[in-house]
């Protein structure tokens, strides 16, 4: 039988890797608290309509990447490919629009049927931050500075750059789309099949095309910058002025359109060096129309999501952060005495491991393998005196102390 393997594009997250994941998410979760966010958990699957109606029929996600299925009651369901639409659904289902502004933090697995490669998986993880009910560019600036502070906390700031664009309000986008249609109509015979379809449905998507020929044509396409009306231009300027004032670096990229249809005004991507083609580690923007599209009131909304696996690649090999104290009971008679000491230390939040078999040297090897700095060795002599023997693995030094003095002695 061939070796059992996880499905293509999925991975088991093991040991140190799992600790790294926790650090990536916990750092974000803690920071989100200083921005006043509450954490939200939504289901991993939703009615397919939650995504079809919102991400855009022509987005790659809806067109070819969703994991959709009918359950036994014939409900059409989809494993969530992203977190924003489900959160809007949850905001509406739970009538959370009553007390605004609302700031929500989330983290969890997402699913997209993409071609797996470095930094791109079929099951991947995001953490994200969404804000509802604030139509003020200060919140966009706060979100961008949240991201920069986050990268600083992870020690990644020097590897990251921010690209930002405004795709304007509906009026600006409509006049830009008209200009794009005129332009692409001149190049119709050279456009890829996908882009021809996009031309009638959402020409903005063509700017995002990965097709070689399309990319060449795109070089001459009109620039959104020339189609922003005063409101859109004003909103964008206020944000870039804020970033300047805070000393936060950014590059304007007028071709950045993002792969989802719900955006308006400002969109952004934080990109990282050394990740190859899948280099966007945190991305998002404003999506003021989405709550209404999903049947709610008119509501200003803005947010972003970060890719946990991509951040993990940037952090590189992680060091083991939890080093257990390893316990060695030399005689069965000492087992209960050993267990009682172990229990107290664990209740105090100290990681402990018990060894179960083998002679002393084998058990010491086990302690080294577990990454321990100290082994506690307990024989009949130690038990009789209510003591333990502490061995420092790096030096081989041994010392005795009272059973209740282990913490103090190790410190
Ligand atoms: P997105 O750009 O599709 O946006 O995904 C956000 C991040 O998730 C990306 O920047 C990337 O780091 C990571 N990511 C996406 N696809 C994969 C994949 N197949 N494998 C590994 N990592 C991946 C959204 O999902 C929006 N909901 C973001 C947002 C929130 N906009 C407003 N609020």
């Amino acid at each position: 039988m061939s070796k059992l393997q996880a499905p293509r594009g999925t991975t088991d997250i093991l040991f140190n890797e799992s600790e790294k994941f926790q650090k990536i998410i916990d750092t974000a979760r803690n920071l989100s608290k200083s921005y006043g966010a509450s954490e939200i958990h939504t289901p991993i699957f939703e009615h397919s309509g939650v995504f079809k109606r919102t991400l855009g029929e022509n987005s790659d996600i809806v067109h070819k990447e969703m994991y959709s299925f009918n359950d036994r009651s014939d409900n059409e369901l989809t494993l969530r490919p992203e977190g924003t639409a489900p959160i809007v659904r949850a905001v509406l289902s739970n009538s959370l629009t009553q007390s605004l502004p609302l700031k929500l933090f989330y983290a969890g697995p997402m699913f997209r049927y993409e071609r797996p490669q470095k930094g791109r998986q079929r099951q991947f993880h995001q953490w994200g931050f969404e804000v509802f009910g604030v139509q003020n560019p200060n919140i966009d600036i706060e979100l961008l500075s949240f991201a920069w502070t986050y990268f600083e906390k992870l020690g990644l700031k020097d590897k990251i750059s921010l690209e930002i664009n405004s795709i304007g309000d509906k009026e600006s986008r409509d006049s830009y789309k008209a200009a794009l249609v005129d332009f692409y109509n001149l190049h119709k015979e050279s456009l890829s099949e996908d882009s021809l379809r996009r031309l009638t449905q959402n020409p903005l998507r063509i700017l995002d095309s990965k097709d070689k020929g399309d990319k060449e044509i795109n070089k001459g396409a009109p620039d959104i910058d020339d189609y922003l009306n005063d409101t859109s231009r004003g909103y964008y300027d206020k944000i870039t002025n804020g970033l300047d004032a805070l000393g936060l670096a950014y590059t304007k990229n007028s071709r950045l359109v993002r792969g989802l249809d719900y955006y308006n005004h400002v969109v952004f991507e934080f990109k990282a060096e050394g990740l190859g083609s899948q280099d966007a580690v945190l991305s998002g923007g404003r999506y003021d129309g989405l709550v209404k599209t999903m049947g709610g009131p008119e509501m200003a909304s803005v947010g972003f999501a970060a890719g946990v696996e991509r951040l993990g690649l940037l952090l590189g090999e992680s060091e083991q952060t939890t080093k257990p104290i390893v316990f060695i009971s030399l005689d069965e008679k000492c087992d209960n005495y050993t267990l009682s000491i172990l229990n107290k230390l664990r209740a105090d939040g100290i990681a402990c491991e018990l060894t179960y078999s083998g002679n002393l040297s084998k058990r010491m090897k086990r302690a080294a393998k577990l990454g321990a700095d100290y082994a506690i060795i307990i024989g009949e002599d130690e038990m009789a005196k209510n003591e333990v023997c502490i061995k420092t693995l790096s030096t081989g030094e041994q010392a005795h102390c009272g059973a209740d003095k282990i913490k103090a002695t190790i410190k």
Side-chain angles (χ1 to χ4, degrees):
M1 200 176 85
S2 62
K3 204 171 156 196
L4 263 186
Q5 284 189 330
R8 186 163 140 78
T10 71
T11 44
D12 300 309
I13 303 149
L14 304 171
F15 309 119
N16 294 359
E17 203 58 25
S18 178
E19 286 197 23
K20 197 159 75 176
F21 260 53
Q22 252 178 56
K23 179 177 163 186
I24 289 168
I25 295 169
D26 286 350
T27 306
R29 178 181 282 122
N30 290 336
L31 191 58
S32 79
K33 286 181 192 150
S34 56
Y35 281 75
S38 321
E39 186 157 357
I40 180 169
H41 300 270
T42 64
I44 276 172
F45 55 85
E46 296 277 348
H47 290 292
S48 299
V50 167
F51 305 108
K52 280 191 185 160
R53 282 196 289 139
T54 55
L55 311 187
E57 289 286 348
N58 279 297
S59 62
D60 280 351
I61 294 184
V62 173
H63 193 56
K64 48 191 179 196
E65 295 172 1
M66 296 215 300
Y67 278 92
S68 300
F69 57 98
N70 284 26
D71 71 6
R72 284 164 195 269
S73 314
D74 238 14
N75 294 305
E76 264 188 63
L77 303 171
T78 294
L79 297 184
R80 61 180 184 197
E82 60 101 54
T84 311
I87 286 180
V88 172
R89 199 271 309 136
V91 165
L92 295 174
S93 307
N94 296 286
S95 307
L96 302 182
T97 54
Q98 311 296 330
S99 58
L100 297 172
L102 181 64
K103 298 178 187 174
L104 298 171
F105 170 85
Y106 60 99
M110 308 290 161
F111 306 85
R112 295 183 194 177
Y113 187 81
E114 293 194 86
R115 194 170 47 76
Q117 64 180 94
K118 181 181 169 192
R120 189 162 74 187
Q121 293 184 201
R122 290 181 175 172
Q123 175 173 330
F124 61 99
H125 296 75
Q126 287 184 344
W127 67 262
F129 192 2
E130 314 286 354
V131 180
F132 299 95
V134 188
Q135 185 74 71
N136 181 319
N138 285 331
I139 191 73
D140 306 55
I141 300 167
E142 284 177 83
L143 282 178
L144 291 164
S145 62
F146 177 115
W148 272 125
T149 307
Y150 174 72
F151 291 125
E152 195 168 358
K153 281 188 184 289
L154 287 186
L156 294 176
K157 203 174 168 198
D158 294 341
K159 291 186 180 171
I160 307 280
S161 57
L162 163 62
E163 289 185 11
I164 183 168
N165 188 25
S166 171
I167 56 168
D169 58 9
K170 188 166 179 325
E171 185 188 83
S172 309
R173 246 183 351 270
D174 283 347
S175 60
Y176 181 50
K177 277 181 189 170
L180 282 178
V181 170
D182 288 346
F183 170 78
Y184 289 121
N185 270 330
L186 299 175
H187 300 273
K188 233 173 160 173
E189 34 335 304
S190 321
L191 280 177
S192 70
E193 213 175 290
D194 271 351
S195 289
L196 275 176
R197 186 172 40 79
R198 294 171 184 138
L199 183 55
T200 47
Q201 287 154 342
N202 186 358
L204 233 76
R205 285 268 69 74
I206 305 177
L207 290 172
D208 221 15
S209 172
K210 306 288 177 287
D211 179 88
K212 247 188 177 168
D214 292 349
K215 275 183 167 173
E216 209 39 51
I217 297 171
N218 280 338
K219 287 183 184 160
D223 223 279
I224 181 107
D225 243 15
D226 299 328
Y227 295 84
L228 293 180
N229 60 17
D230 288 348
T231 317
S232 304
R233 162 85 39 220
Y235 205 92
Y236 192 21
D237 286 348
K238 176 85 198 328
I239 291 169
T240 50
N241 286 343
L243 293 175
D244 290 337
L246 294 174
L248 300 174
Y250 64 91
T251 309
K252 283 183 167 183
N253 174 0
S254 58
R255 292 299 162 91
L256 181 69
V257 288
R258 308 268 305 124
L260 306 160
D261 276 4
Y262 50 58
Y263 292 109
N264 65 332
H265 284 295
V266 169
V267 292
F268 52 84
E269 287 186 352
F270 286 82
K271 295 190 169 174
E273 275 169 27
L275 285 187
S277 63
Q278 304 305 311
D279 60 352
V281 286
L282 184 152
S283 30
R286 193 158 264 285
Y287 51 95
D288 297 326
L290 184 57
V291 177
K292 189 151 188 222
T293 308
M294 294 185 76
E298 199 74 64
M299 180 153 321
S301 318
V302 57
F304 60 68
V308 176
E309 281 79 3
R310 291 186 194 177
L311 290 167
L313 286 171
L314 285 181
L315 287 179
E317 288 295 311
S318 59
E319 280 187 19
Q320 181 177 359
T321 49
T322 313
K323 295 186 167 193
I325 299 175
V326 172
F327 279 72
I328 300 172
S329 164
L330 292 175
D331 192 297
E332 217 180 292
K333 286 189 215 113
C334 309
D335 285 357
N336 288 342
Y337 173 70
T338 305
L339 280 167
S340 73
I341 299 171
L342 189 83
N343 275 351
K344 279 188 200 131
L345 286 175
R346 282 179 172 155
D348 257 2
I350 295 173
C352 299
E353 285 282 345
L354 188 59
T355 54
Y356 301 99
S357 61
N359 59 22
L360 181 59
S361 104
K362 218 170 167 191
R363 292 186 194 214
M364 285 307 298
K365 276 190 190 139
R366 171 86 189 133
K369 197 165 174 218
L370 286 166
D373 287 332
Y374 302 99
I376 305 278
I377 303 166
I378 297 171
E380 287 185 77
D381 278 357
E382 282 80 17
M383 186 167 76
K385 293 185 194 151
N386 199 25
E387 282 186 352
V388 299
C389 168
I390 303 183
K391 184 164 179 150
T392 307
L393 267 75
S394 57
T395 59
E397 217 177 297
Q398 293 196 169
H400 279 79
C401 74
D404 55 351
K405 300 276 181 310
I406 298 175
K407 217 169 138 183
T409 309
I410 284 175
K411 260 187 190 159

